[in-house]
Amino acid sequence: MKNPMPVPRSGSVGVMLLLLVFCLAYVLGLMSSAIFQNIYIHNTLSPLQLSVFWSQSSSPSSLPPPPEAVPCILPPSPPSQTTVLRTMSMTPSGGRRMEFTDFLAPSSGLMHNMTDEELFWRASMAPSMKSMPKHVIVHKIAFLFLVRGDLPLRPLWDKFFKGHEGLYSIYVHASPSYTGSPPPDSPFYGRMIPSQTTKWGHISLVDAERRLLGNSLLDLSNGHFALLSESCIPLFDFPAVQAYITGSNNNFVDSFDREESRERHSPFFAEHNVSLAQWRKGAQWFVMDRVFAREVVSDETYYGPVFRNGRHKYMDEHYIPTLVNILGLGHRNSNRSVMYSDWWTPRVRHPKSHSGSEVTEVLIKEMRRGMDGNCSYNGRAAEFCALFARKFRPDALLPLLDLAPKVMGFG
């Protein structure tokens, strides 16, 4: 008779079960260690550190191969001062906190997607308070260039503006088809505004003028606005021009009532509440302050319904001069331009163009006195009547650059 199989004690069963759990835990530990090492290395170390790690391994073949490259997640470095300042201007939700300077001028360049209607609506806004924070506004002169394409006399203007950064702004309205650009070191670089096609003697020129004013009004530090073309030159250095413009009690908008100015007034204008007595004419080249500029861009009574829809020619010589008169702003206007143009030499519809051979010290000094040498400044007889002059051909650039240091005071 065989001996019966011994029945294991309860203690032996416990030991066997404990050994089985221990072995299972050991195997799981090895597996999890390999997985953790793989994840930690490739998600924490930089690519350079990763290559060093693999090269220093005693048995690379025993380790799992590196997976595909993944973005590194590095521990954050101590924030720089710039980062701290940026963080201070962030809202609790993570958005950028708006600063007061954001209301003063566009911070993302001059190009935008606004329509003219949207632009003029935005530009027509003005603070009601007369006082302003003392540290905010430095009144600049906005130089508005109405051009077709290149500015052949730009090097002269570059020298005119040099050293006076922060005291001026530049805005350029060129043909939409123009793809050129001044060099990055020029103050004209990046100063083109959204534009539309213009045509000589057409109302589109007034559209462009209003567009220049509208864009420049978005910068609240622009206090005066001067309209120029690619054929214009400065007759003085920047400090003299700035002092003349900002020191004047009046605007410089050419607006006169003479027999020749009434020839273009037709029954259409009378039917739309612009009488012959209100009709004015003048050169389009103006220098005006913010009050005048806002009136021009915000006008809905006369521009669209009358001057633009009337489809008459040469409205660039009538719209702003007439508007200033209708609005009763004549008491704040000198009724003259500070742009010299030679209309004495017989020409057909255009002033004389000056070539390089004509550029002399005598010519510049004559231009400063204006067309007739008779003008007033703040109620007194003025020694100089013109700050700018036109029309100069491209070949006049080099003679003007040679003359500028001696006569105009810059260069």
Side-chain angles (χ1 to χ4, degrees):
M1 181 177 180
K2 295 181 179 180
N3 291 332
M5 183 177 294
V7 179
R9 297 180 182 179
S10 60
S12 299
V13 174
V15 172
M16 293 176 64
L17 184 60
L18 180 62
L19 289 174
L20 180 62
V21 171
F22 176 79
C23 292
L24 180 62
Y26 179 76
V27 173
L28 292 175
L30 291 176
M31 295 175 61
S32 62
S33 176
I35 295 174
F36 174 81
Q37 185 184 58
N38 187 27
I39 294 175
Y40 176 81
I41 291 174
H42 294 287
N43 287 280
T44 305
L45 300 181
S46 66
L48 178 61
Q49 292 171 318
L50 185 61
S51 63
V52 172
F53 176 86
W54 287 113
S55 64
Q56 292 177 349
S57 298
S58 58
S59 56
S61 59
S62 64
L63 295 175
E68 297 293 330
V70 295
C72 297
I73 306 174
L74 297 176
S77 57
S80 63
Q81 184 177 5
T82 303
T83 305
V84 172
L85 292 176
R86 284 181 180 172
T87 305
M88 292 172 63
S89 65
M90 302 295 283
T91 63
S93 61
R96 179 180 176 274
R97 191 183 303 278
M98 185 172 287
E99 304 290 342
F100 183 79
T101 53
D102 293 326
F103 292 96
L104 301 182
S107 58
S108 58
L110 300 183
M111 301 306 292
H112 55 75
N113 293 324
M114 286 187 287
T115 64
D116 283 353
E117 181 182 19
E118 293 168 338
L119 171 65
F120 299 150
W121 178 83
R122 175 64 182 86
S124 65
M125 296 181 182
S128 297
M129 295 178 61
K130 295 182 179 180
S131 61
M132 64 183 67
K134 296 180 180 179
H135 66 285
V136 170
I137 301 296
V138 176
H139 286 295
K140 298 183 293 186
I141 300 175
F143 292 83
L144 317 178
F145 286 84
L146 179 56
V147 305
R148 288 165 291 188
D150 287 322
L151 286 84
L153 303 177
R154 178 191 53 76
L156 181 70
W157 285 102
D158 286 352
K159 293 184 178 295
F160 170 79
F161 289 120
K162 186 177 181 180
H164 305 288
E165 293 76 12
L167 299 177
Y168 66 86
S169 301
I170 296 175
Y171 300 83
V172 181
H173 187 292
S175 171
S177 62
Y178 176 67
T179 58
S181 173
D185 60 346
S186 170
F188 287 85
Y189 182 77
R191 303 308 299 175
M192 292 181 63
I193 68 169
S195 63
Q196 296 184 24
T197 302
T198 59
K199 183 180 179 181
W200 180 82
H202 192 264
I203 193 65
S204 58
L205 286 175
V206 186
D207 289 338
E209 293 174 19
R210 298 178 83 231
R211 208 169 287 126
L212 282 163
L213 286 172
N215 280 275
S216 54
L217 279 168
L218 298 181
D219 186 341
L220 294 183
S221 62
N222 288 329
H224 292 82
F225 309 82
L227 182 66
L228 304 158
S229 77
E230 69 262 34
S231 68
C232 294
I233 68 166
L235 297 176
F236 296 90
D237 61 9
F238 184 89
V241 170
Q242 181 194 38
Y244 197 100
I245 291 176
T246 60
S248 175
N249 298 329
N250 296 311
N251 292 269
F252 298 99
V253 177
D254 201 19
S255 178
F256 58 84
D257 176 24
R258 290 195 283 267
E259 183 177 352
E260 63 269 24
S261 68
R262 303 179 182 182
E263 297 176 354
R264 296 173 186 158
H265 186 275
S266 67
F268 172 84
F269 295 103
E271 294 168 2
H272 289 79
N273 300 318
V274 180
S275 67
L276 182 60
Q278 295 172 317
W279 189 254
R280 294 293 183 272
K281 182 181 178 182
Q284 68 182 119
W285 314 108
F286 57 73
V287 173
M288 60 176 64
D289 60 19
R290 289 191 71 89
V291 174
F292 272 43
R294 279 199 305 268
E295 293 290 354
V296 172
V297 302
S298 63
D299 172 35
E300 297 179 291
T301 303
Y302 300 101
Y303 183 63
V306 185
F307 286 86
R308 201 174 197 286
N309 291 344
R311 302 186 183 279
H312 287 68
K313 292 183 178 180
Y314 316 120
M315 288 301 98
D316 55 309
E317 297 179 353
H318 293 281
Y319 169 63
I320 293 180
T322 301
L323 181 68
V324 168
N325 184 48
I326 291 177
L327 297 179
L329 298 175
H331 68 287
R332 297 191 56 246
N333 185 35
S334 61
N335 292 327
R336 68 177 178 90
S337 173
V338 287
M339 177 72 71
Y340 175 90
S341 300
D342 183 357
W343 289 99
W344 293 301
T345 304
R347 290 289 182 275
V348 179
R349 299 180 179 178
H350 296 284
K352 176 180 177 169
S353 292
H354 302 277
S355 64
S357 60
E358 300 175 67
V359 176
T360 64
E361 181 177 350
V362 173
L363 176 66
I364 298 300
K365 291 182 177 180
E366 287 179 350
M367 289 179 167
R368 289 173 173 174
R369 289 193 288 268
M371 291 185 63
D372 55 10
N374 182 22
C375 67
S376 63
Y377 181 84
N378 289 345
R380 298 182 179 181
E383 180 180 0
F384 304 113
C385 300
L387 302 177
F388 313 103
R390 59 187 295 266
K391 303 171 59 174
F392 282 84
R393 298 175 183 172
D395 68 296
L397 175 61
L398 292 181
L400 286 168
L401 289 174
D402 291 339
L403 200 64
K406 177 182 178 182
V407 180
M408 283 95 95
F410 63 90

